[in-house]
Each structure stands twice: as structure tokens, then as C-alpha cells.
Amino acid sequence: TNRHFRAMVRLISARTSLYTEMVAADELLDATRRNSQHVDQFLGQSAIVPEGPSVLQLGGNDASQLYQAAKTYYEHSQTQTNNKTCEYTSLNLNCGCPSPAVSGKKCFGAALMKDPSHVAKLVRAINDGIDGSVPVTVKCRIGLWE
């Protein structure tokens, strides 16, 4: 969900865990090359309503890109500016999106479920990128249609 919807839901429930929309690692890294305002579009949280339990969901299949994306989040969370916050309670690797554009063309999301050892490598890369500062989880599906 986007930050505006999460802010609305947070007014209803302070304890519900809320997830961001999937942020593709390559798109986040492209945003970092532009400027911090573009990064805020991916990582920013509501400055008006405290986010509470919230999860930054990352997508990708390249360990070095996911490491850099997680590191970007970690560094961004340490340097908050303009009253914008970036304090997710965990990061999540998306291994559940069945969209052909994601699991087919880009070969991540649900496609990652076919290679559990690669998923483990990706999770380690994310964890290393955030220096173990918050938990890293995996979103997956019950199964795959072949």
C-alpha cells in the first residue's frame, strides 16, 4: 500500500502490520542516482501519522542490487530530513508476486520460489545491507502453477 493509505489505516488500527507496495531494487537504485526526493517516493512514510508496525517490501533477484537497496534504506533511515520518516520495523523479500511482468519478464517475485537456495542468498544480502538492524522476512505463495 502507499503511504497515504497506510496513514488512513493507521488511524483505524495502531497495531496492524502494514506493508509497502513492492519496491523493485533496481528502481530504488535508479532513484538514488537521481536525488533524495525520488528516494522519498519509495521509502518515505507519513510525517503526520506515526506508521507503527510497517514493512518495506523489496523485489529483485540480484543479491548485489538487493544489498544496495537495503543499504540505501538503512542509510536513508539514519538521515531523516524535512520531517520525513523512514522507520520500517522489518524488510521483506517478495517471493509471492505472480504477475507475468515480475515473475516472468524480470524473473523475481513468485519465480524465486523455484530456487530456495537463491532466496536464502538474497535474504542474507538484504540482512547484510541493513547490518541486521531489523528482521528480514519472505513473502511467498502456497505453491506455483507450472
Side-chain angles (χ1 to χ4, degrees):
T1 60
N2 65 40
R3 79 176 91 176
H4 308 293
F5 183 77
R6 291 192 311 269
M8 182 188 73
V9 171
R10 192 55 70 211
L11 294 171
I12 298 167
S13 172
R15 294 182 285 182
T16 300
S17 291
L18 301 174
Y19 285 68
T20 64
E21 298 168 305
M22 181 180 61
V23 176
D26 60 343
E27 291 177 14
L28 177 57
L29 296 176
D30 184 50
T32 62
R33 289 185 273 281
R34 293 185 199 162
N35 63 45
S36 64
Q37 185 177 7
H38 284 86
V39 174
D40 283 340
Q41 290 177 329
F42 290 104
L43 300 180
Q45 293 177 305
S46 173
I48 299 167
V49 179
E51 284 260 347
S54 56
V55 181
L56 172 62
Q57 187 178 171
L58 295 174
N61 66 2
D62 181 278
S64 63
Q65 282 187 345
L66 284 164
Y67 170 85
Q68 287 298 326
K71 186 174 180 180
T72 297
Y73 155 73
Y74 182 70
E75 291 170 352
H76 197 71
S77 71
Q78 304 300 307
T79 57
Q80 299 170 11
T81 58
N82 299 328
N83 198 30
K84 294 201 172 134
T85 60
C86 183
E87 301 173 328
Y88 293 98
T89 52
S90 68
L91 270 63
N92 177 269
L93 175 63
N94 183 314
C95 294
C97 182
S99 163
V102 172
S103 65
K105 181 180 175 188
K106 291 191 171 185
C107 200
F108 62 93
L112 291 173
M113 290 180 54
K114 296 176 184 177
D115 191 354
S117 62
H118 187 60
V119 170
K121 180 179 172 185
L122 299 177
V123 168
R124 279 191 298 276
I126 293 170
N127 190 61
D128 290 348
I130 58 171
D131 200 26
S133 60
V134 295
V136 177
T137 61
V138 175
K139 172 188 171 185
C140 62
R141 302 187 81 68
I142 292 174
L144 292 172
W145 291 96
E146 296 284 342

